[in-house]
Amino acid sequence: MRVTFLGTGTSTGVPVVGCHCRVCTSSDPRNQRLRQSVKIEANGKHFLIDTTPDLRLQLLRHPIPRLDFVLYTHSHSDHLMGLDDIRPFNFRQREAIHAFASAPTAKAIRRAFAYIWDSSQIGGGKPQLVLHEVDGPFTHDGVDIVPLPVTHGDWTILGYRIGGFAYITDTNGIPDDTLRLLDGVDTLALDALRPAPRHPTHFTIDEAFAVAQRIGARETWLIHLAHEAEHGEVEARLPAGVRIAWDGLELDLE
Ligand SMILES: [Zn+2]
Ligand SMILES: [Zn+2]
Ligand SMILES: [Zn+2]
């Protein structure tokens, strides 16, 4: 299984438009972060977690030969609004793309992209999507997928576990039942917005580190970073086994 980080930034991306702070103007490419997403190759299949507003650019940088399916974590714009960019795969594969989401997220997708499901002409314009609601572990294209319910402010959204890899973006709390689903996980990607201050819907770096210790993965990669996080500086004070992810990072996993 290969995981590629297409983006590791918070909802604004980094640099933030109009910002002249030292991270936004940094020459270290690890401080340039598109919106948070990964592509995964497993069992010969290629799939995405979320479709960010940067999806087109992300897939130009990191092409995939085909798109087999999409897993959605939640419906915030930074995780959803690139959905229209699945169309080249519709055209080339001559098929609809399967996507999986919780019931509330599926409802929000149907609202945000209502034209996909209305009866207007298909033209050249409509993404072709088959949206499935999930509320527990499932298998698709031979890939075993375990949804991981986590707290994101007032919402419960989904992380996903695929084999020894777990992906948890946009969270400020992981319930005990979900911690049990993370038993024995080898590699974890975990939301860590910034060093400080605390945030109502995201972990800070220290909060993420504390949770990472409880989960005990061999390797934890912090994701969804804001412009308060300078890559080298934050990583220098992290303990062994916890690192900051960057755009383009590739992990080859068992
Ligand atoms: Zn987000
Ligand atoms: Zn900035
Ligand atoms: Zn969010």
Side-chain angles (χ1 to χ4, degrees):
M1 175 161 92
R2 171 173 284 189
V3 177
T4 305
F5 291 74
L6 299 176
T8 56
T10 191
S11 57
T12 55
V14 181
V16 178
V17 170
C19 184
H20 303 289
C21 80
R22 67 199 179 99
V23 175
C24 288
T25 56
S26 165
S27 59
D28 183 341
R30 298 173 305 175
N31 282 322
Q32 294 173 9
R33 305 170 181 131
L34 297 178
R35 266 59 76 90
Q36 182 60 51
S37 177
V38 288
K39 71 176 172 98
I40 298 179
E41 182 179 354
N43 194 36
K45 302 295 178 181
H46 298 266
F47 58 99
L48 298 170
I49 302 184
D50 293 331
T51 53
T52 83
D54 298 317
L55 182 60
R56 176 177 175 275
L57 177 59
Q58 290 170 329
L59 291 179
L60 288 172
R61 285 184 184 175
H62 304 283
I64 49 179
R66 54 178 283 117
L67 177 60
D68 289 294
F69 58 95
V70 180
L71 305 176
Y72 279 106
T73 62
H74 67 308
S75 61
H76 279 155
S77 294
D78 54 321
H79 298 264
L80 173 60
M81 286 302 172
L83 168 54
D84 202 56
D85 289 329
I86 72 166
R87 287 177 302 141
F89 300 102
N90 293 142
F91 302 150
R92 200 172 305 120
Q93 294 167 210
R94 298 174 191 277
E95 62 187 359
I97 306 296
H98 292 269
F100 301 84
S102 69
T105 298
K107 186 178 174 191
I109 293 171
R110 287 192 199 97
R111 189 171 58 230
F113 287 86
Y115 64 90
I116 293 176
W117 289 277
D118 73 22
S119 58
S120 60
Q121 65 168 352
I122 292 176
K126 281 191 192 183
Q128 301 295 302
L129 192 74
V130 181
L131 187 55
H132 306 271
E133 296 182 8
V134 294
D135 63 0
F138 62 100
T139 301
H140 185 75
D141 279 345
V143 181
D144 295 327
I145 297 154
V146 182
L148 305 169
V150 297
T151 302
H152 184 30
D154 292 339
W155 288 12
T156 295
I157 71 158
L158 297 182
Y160 289 97
R161 177 173 182 172
I162 298 113
F165 175 68
Y167 180 85
I168 301 177
T169 188
D170 291 58
T171 186
N172 63 326
I174 302 184
D176 287 343
D177 284 350
T178 297
L179 286 174
R180 282 189 276 279
L181 296 173
L182 289 162
D183 235 19
V185 82
D186 174 75
T187 304
L188 172 68
L190 182 62
D191 181 17
L193 184 69
R194 60 193 180 195
R198 293 191 67 195
H199 190 277
T201 66
H202 294 275
F203 284 142
T204 60
I205 305 268
D206 285 346
E207 288 170 334
F209 170 60
V211 171
Q213 273 196 313
R214 276 191 74 184
I215 294 170
R218 181 181 58 82
E219 210 170 56
T220 298
W221 294 91
L222 303 183
I223 60 173
H224 208 287
L225 296 142
H227 66 156
E228 290 92 346
E230 201 288 316
H231 187 102
E233 201 173 278
V234 172
E235 189 159 86
R237 64 180 187 82
L238 290 174
V242 182
R243 300 197 53 194
I244 306 274
W246 63 88
D247 290 22
L249 169 66
E250 281 184 357
L251 303 176
D252 284 310
L253 307 171
E254 292 290 302

